[in-house]
Amino acid sequence: NVSFAFQDDALAARNAFTPTKADDQSRQLGVGLSGTIVPNKTSFSINGGRGSQYTSPNVLAVLPDGTIVTDTIRQPRDSFNLNVRLDHAINAAHAARLSFDRSSTDSRNLGVGGYDLFDRAYENQLSNTQLRLSENGPLGRKMFTESRLQIRWNTSRSQAVIEAPIIRVNDAFTSGGAQQQGGQDSFSFEAATDLDYVRGAHSWRTGAFIEGGRFRSDDITNYLGTYTFASLADYERGRAANYSRRTGDPTLQYSTFQAAVYLQDDYRVARSLLVSGGVRYGVQNHVSDGWNLSPRVTAAWSPQRNGALTIRGGYGYFYDWIAGDLYKQTLLFDGLRQRELNISSPSFPNPGTDGTTPPTNRYLWSEDLVLPTAHRANVGIDQTLTKNTRLTVTYSRGWGRNLLRGRNLNAP
């Protein structure tokens, strides 16, 4: 199979803030091939595609001499994707699937638009590779198992078109380089297995999950400094409100790891009543809290013989993993590796030693940090009115505990 899609701005209207209509276009090409390798045993599929598109964001800014900039800039984006899948019947009951995915994008002239002038442009390249293997099938007459392994490699890179300090004048313009440099390489994996077991009125399910990754990054922003002015009048007088800059070594390596196990039972108490209960336990590195049990229970009751009315209810207590980027921030800005400098009312164009220089920002990871949790409860009814009409009414409520927040430890 072959597919092609084309779209442009032929029927689009001109933006009211620009004198000319912006250019927009998208072209997508896809090719696929699938078939049998061994009849009733092994099959394959290959799908790939390329895309080329561009948009043209509007720049609307006011320069110091009073000139109003109303223009557009073309932002191209090229993409590629490939998927290869192999399905194989191990025997009459068990099947395995192996898949490979690869995608990449190349974007240019990012960061331009609104108050941001054309010298703010930067380029970005992303690539993602994923390998996935899964196997499933019954074990005897009452058990069914499914296992999967997923491995991912991700790479991102950014580069500013020009290297220059940033000048930001509120409600007027922002000029200077994008100050985007470096990127991140990551390797992550996910392994999970589930086992279903049916015995009488009980349907049990249990499983385990392990996920981890290793990350290397050298991305850095604002390494040449940013001046912020409250207005055009302040800019003309050279009275900056703030100056900020990041200094130090951005190169960093760190890892993350989390694991969980769970057990669940669907119990058919009676023909009209189904009760489900379960519990999950999980741990995550970098978090001292090691007791993360999350129970949940649901029930569904059909009091009428014809099953036209169903009353449902449930409650669950869940915990969330903490994102690795938050931990990364505490490693970068520990007061030694990188420093975040802020100067109030600095001199311009050289911040020098004038103005007020508070202590450099430092981010700390709390030693008694626990995983954030959420409570979710719901109750509802499902009523069949006619052969083709059904009414459903549901009330849901959710609330959180131990939610993440940043605390300013500076006195006062």
Side-chain angles (χ1 to χ4, degrees):
N1 61 77
V2 178
S3 63
F4 177 74
F6 175 81
Q7 176 183 332
D8 72 355
D9 54 34
L11 299 180
R14 176 182 63 83
N15 188 292
F17 291 103
T18 58
T20 58
K21 188 172 71 170
D23 295 330
D24 293 283
Q25 189 179 97
S26 174
R27 290 173 290 173
Q28 304 288 335
L29 173 65
V31 179
L33 178 68
S34 61
T36 300
I37 299 177
V38 179
N40 300 316
K41 189 78 171 179
T42 308
S43 62
F44 77 97
S45 69
I46 302 174
N47 293 279
R50 282 192 174 276
S52 178
Q53 66 182 60
Y54 56 82
T55 58
S56 301
N58 304 308
V59 177
L60 181 61
V62 182
L63 301 183
D65 60 3
T67 302
I68 299 178
V69 180
T70 56
D71 208 344
T72 62
I73 183 172
R74 182 177 293 187
Q75 288 183 342
R77 181 176 180 269
D78 298 321
S79 61
F80 166 79
N81 67 85
L82 174 67
N83 171 263
V84 181
R85 193 182 73 193
L86 184 69
D87 292 288
H88 178 67
I90 301 173
N91 52 42
H94 287 257
R97 170 175 291 179
L98 176 66
S99 64
F100 172 83
D101 291 274
R102 169 75 177 181
S103 63
S104 63
T105 59
D106 186 357
S107 305
R108 298 177 295 281
N109 290 337
L110 300 176
V112 179
Y115 294 126
D116 291 283
L117 300 177
F118 304 107
D119 52 0
R120 297 276 293 145
Y122 71 93
E123 300 177 355
N124 177 259
Q125 294 84 35
L126 295 174
S127 66
N128 303 293
T129 304
Q130 177 176 284
L131 184 65
R132 184 179 176 91
L133 175 65
S134 63
E135 184 273 341
N136 63 72
L139 296 176
R141 300 181 59 184
K142 296 185 177 181
M143 290 188 292
F144 185 89
T145 180
E146 181 178 11
S147 301
R148 56 197 178 274
L149 172 65
Q150 182 172 277
I151 303 174
R152 294 185 296 266
W153 297 267
N154 298 327
T155 299
S156 65
R157 288 288 179 272
S158 297
Q159 181 63 57
V161 174
I162 69 170
E163 298 290 355
I166 298 173
I167 297 177
R168 177 176 290 113
V169 180
N170 291 339
D171 300 327
F173 72 91
T174 301
S175 65
Q179 297 193 47
Q180 299 264 1
Q181 191 178 92
Q184 177 170 284
D185 299 310
S186 66
F187 167 80
S188 59
F189 71 92
E190 176 185 319
T193 183
D194 300 300
L195 175 66
D196 295 331
Y197 174 64
V198 179
R199 183 178 179 86
H202 294 270
S203 296
W204 296 89
R205 165 168 280 198
T206 184
F209 168 90
I210 301 175
E211 184 181 56
R214 185 160 184 83
F215 306 86
R216 183 188 183 279
S217 64
D218 60 357
D219 56 309
I220 186 172
T221 60
N222 198 28
Y223 45 86
L224 297 177
T226 298
Y227 278 100
T228 301
F229 295 85
S231 63
L232 266 177
D234 284 352
Y235 175 73
E236 293 171 352
R237 298 188 186 99
R239 292 167 47 185
N242 178 264
Y243 176 81
S244 64
R245 184 180 180 183
R246 290 183 175 181
T247 62
D249 181 11
T251 304
L252 178 68
Q253 291 188 12
Y254 66 98
S255 60
T256 61
F257 173 84
Q258 52 253 0
V261 294
Y262 75 92
L263 176 65
Q264 176 181 312
D265 179 29
D266 297 332
Y267 177 37
R268 177 66 66 178
V269 181
R271 184 175 181 181
S272 61
L273 178 61
L274 176 67
V275 178
S276 299
V279 63
R280 172 176 166 171
Y281 171 76
V283 292
Q284 184 179 27
N285 67 332
H286 310 310
V287 178
S288 58
D289 181 22
W291 187 250
N292 299 301
L293 282 175
S294 57
R296 65 219 51 190
V297 61
T298 62
W301 179 44
S302 299
Q304 300 175 350
R305 285 182 173 272
N306 60 3
L309 173 65
T310 302
I311 302 174
R312 308 177 190 275
Y315 166 79
Y317 178 83
F318 306 89
Y319 55 84
D320 295 323
W321 304 126
I322 299 177
D325 284 346
L326 190 63
Y327 178 68
K328 172 186 174 182
Q329 184 185 43
T330 64
L331 297 179
L332 282 175
F333 301 103
D334 58 357
L336 299 175
R337 186 187 303 272
Q338 277 196 301
R339 292 178 176 268
E340 199 171 61
L341 177 67
N342 288 281
I343 302 177
S344 300
S345 302
S347 59
F348 177 76
N350 184 356
T353 58
D354 296 339
T356 303
T357 306
T360 181
N361 289 341
R362 180 186 178 194
Y363 296 92
L364 305 176
W365 184 273
S366 176
E367 294 183 357
D368 58 353
L369 191 66
V370 298
L371 295 179
T373 59
H375 298 258
R376 298 170 191 165
N378 67 84
V379 62
I381 60 171
D382 193 324
Q383 174 70 57
T384 300
L385 302 179
T386 67
K387 183 179 179 180
N388 299 315
T389 308
R390 174 175 292 179
L391 173 67
T392 300
V393 179
T394 303
Y395 172 79
S396 301
R397 184 171 185 265
W399 65 100
R401 291 190 61 196
N402 297 323
L403 303 183
L404 298 181
R405 63 166 180 163
R407 295 177 57 203
N408 188 346
L409 302 183
N410 297 311

